[in-house]
Amino acid sequence: MSKEIINQNTDIQQISEEQDYTLRSTDAVCINESHLHHKWYYNFKYMAVGVLFGIVFVKAEIISWFRIQEMFRFQSFHMYGVIGSAIMVGMISVWLIKKFNIKTIHGETIEFHDKVFNKGQIYGGLLFGLGWAITGACPGPLFAQIGTGATVIVITLLSALAGTWIYGYYRDKLPH
Amino acid sequence: MGIIEFIKQPWPWYVAGPVIGLTVPALLILGNKTFGISSSLRHVCAMCLPANIPFFKYDWKKEIWNLFFVAGIAIGGIVAISLLKNPSPILIHPNLAIELASYGINDFHGLVPNQLFNWGELMSVKGFILMVVGGFLVGFGTRYAGGCTSGHAIMGISNLQWPSLVATCCFMAGGFLMANVILPFILSL
């Protein structure tokens, strides 16, 4: 009897985890696919990756407003080289992970999910493109720019948070 | 030239691009995380102001890794600017320099143009559009598109997702339109 209740409970738990996953992966590429539960301080490994990433952002001037302007005016190959070679390396890495079924350091199978197309990728993409060329920054560089001491970019970041919140508020009314 | 002087120079694309590309397998292998940055903005909304909006009613604690990641990016910015700062001024394309000079922008020091992005300018129409409207478009647009340059252009295309390719083309189209057609009006305000 008690075993049955426990089973029922885990069923409920699993359904809600699935629902939670569906919600979390709505309008997102970047998702935690792991089913493992770790202590919070395990997250410092992602911070370490972020630090390296931030250093590259600054040192290669990817967070420079001027470099973004040059990119959109075809005045420099730099940003195309950065994004293009990043995609090449990423593509080869994903292919290798799938081909050799490479596991995480915790032994978990690495999961990939296909994205479903919706019109938001067009409308939202265009709107983000407009913002990218104004601010000279996509979301990642905003964090790095603040790190380099451009404190006023905190306002741009807060405004981006407001934009995300407004999107969430009006999501059901927008064409998808 | 010592190793530190060598590192202090601007890094070429063929160093930066592959390192950024390696972030994709690094996050996957460290813990089954797909690479992306704009989602961090959503997690902050879900954490601080969910306001009963269905889009923010998920277990943000599952995605807290992403906030550690972006905090790392900010720390990386501090490290790079305080320890590895390039002592020379940033070189920009002469045509861009001429164009910007026509709007009175002639200080090319720093990564963010100080003449446009500063606390004083925030109250001007131009500064408000550049910082506040621009930021809003970045936050609204990335979430509407379901990802940014990292999530769609790098992670999505790496995983051969055609919707991500569509999104990336739209990012570029919006950028071309803004930089070449609309931004000149904003900068001349």
Side-chain angles (χ1 to χ4, degrees):
Chain A
M1 178 68 182
S2 67
K3 202 178 173 188
E4 221 166 77
I5 292 171
I6 291 167
N7 278 343
Q8 255 178 355
N9 278 347
T10 37
D11 276 353
I12 292 165
Q13 184 75 18
Q14 270 170 354
I15 289 165
S16 73
E17 280 219 1
E18 259 172 49
Q19 284 173 334
D20 185 65
Y21 179 84
T22 313
L23 186 56
R24 271 192 294 133
S25 53
T26 306
D27 298 335
V29 175
C30 162
I31 312 152
N32 175 12
E33 303 275 10
S34 177
H35 303 289
L36 302 173
H37 298 277
H38 283 133
K39 291 256 167 26
W40 68 275
Y41 51 78
Y42 274 67
N43 288 309
F44 280 112
K45 58 191 176 186
Y46 307 111
M47 186 181 271
V49 178
V51 171
L52 279 177
F53 193 76
I55 292 174
V56 176
F57 263 3
V58 175
K59 288 313 299 169
E61 298 174 348
I62 294 159
I63 65 163
S64 163
W65 186 86
F66 300 108
R67 293 282 170 267
I68 302 300
Q69 299 307 323
E70 286 174 345
M71 166 174 75
F72 287 130
R73 287 170 177 74
F74 293 116
Q75 290 165 337
S76 158
F77 176 73
H78 185 75
M79 286 303 301
Y80 294 101
V82 168
I83 297 174
S85 58
I87 293 172
M88 287 311 294
V89 170
M91 214 181 260
I92 294 167
S93 307
V94 170
W95 182 78
L96 286 172
I97 287 172
K98 286 178 177 171
K99 169 105 180 159
F100 296 103
N101 193 19
I102 295 169
K103 302 267 197 296
T104 71
I105 54 170
H106 304 293
E108 219 183 350
T109 302
I110 294 176
E111 286 178 40
F112 296 98
H113 292 275
D114 287 336
K115 286 316 288 180
V116 181
F117 175 75
N118 71 61
K119 290 192 226 70
Q121 281 137 14
I122 295 175
Y123 302 136
L126 288 170
L127 290 172
F128 164 53
L130 297 175
W132 188 12
I134 298 183
T135 60
C138 29
L142 287 179
F143 292 99
Q145 285 179 344
I146 295 167
T148 63
T151 51
V152 75
I153 303 301
V154 168
I155 301 297
T156 310
L157 182 64
L158 287 174
S159 193
L161 281 170
T164 303
W165 192 90
I166 293 290
Y167 170 73
Y169 190 83
Y170 287 110
R171 185 175 185 279
D172 297 339
K173 296 192 179 68
L174 294 164
H176 279 95
Chain B
M1 185 167 20
I3 183 104
I4 294 295
E5 279 71 33
F6 184 70
I7 292 173
K8 279 184 175 181
Q9 298 176 92
W11 297 0
W13 63 265
Y14 50 82
V15 172
V19 174
I20 291 173
L22 285 175
T23 312
V24 170
L27 294 175
L28 288 169
I29 291 171
L30 282 175
N32 228 340
K33 312 289 190 262
T34 42
F35 174 50
I37 294 174
S38 61
S39 291
S40 62
L41 302 171
R42 183 187 178 196
H43 306 325
V44 174
C45 291
M47 187 164 70
C48 301
L49 199 63
N52 228 10
I53 298 167
F55 191 61
F56 299 126
K57 279 167 77 179
Y58 59 92
D59 185 7
W60 54 266
K61 292 194 186 80
K62 282 216 172 69
E63 302 288 354
I64 197 97
W65 72 275
N66 199 236
L67 299 180
F68 277 79
F69 180 61
V70 297
I73 296 175
I75 296 168
I78 299 171
V79 171
I81 214 72
S82 48
L83 303 177
L84 306 169
K85 192 179 195 305
N86 173 24
S88 328
I90 289 180
L91 298 170
I92 73 167
H93 193 276
N95 290 355
L96 181 64
I98 292 166
E99 186 193 331
L100 292 177
S102 72
Y103 309 117
I105 302 157
N106 44 32
D107 178 2
F108 304 136
H109 281 83
L111 297 162
V112 181
N114 187 42
Q115 287 166 306
L116 296 173
F117 296 86
N118 64 62
W119 289 98
E121 277 292 313
L122 202 53
M123 291 302 137
S124 73
V125 176
K126 182 166 70 178
F128 184 84
I129 295 174
L130 289 172
M131 290 173 265
V132 179
V133 177
F136 187 90
L137 285 169
V138 169
F140 187 92
T142 50
R143 199 71 283 122
Y144 197 177
C148 61
T149 333
S150 339
H152 273 313
I154 297 176
M155 183 67 224
I157 298 180
S158 291
N159 191 25
L160 309 176
Q161 300 296 303
W162 71 267
S164 290
L165 184 63
V166 171
T168 304
C169 292
C170 292
F171 300 164
M172 298 308 292
F176 289 130
L177 177 69
M178 175 55 71
N180 296 291
V181 181
I182 310 173
L183 195 62
F185 286 100
I186 300 173
L187 290 179
S188 53
L189 284 173

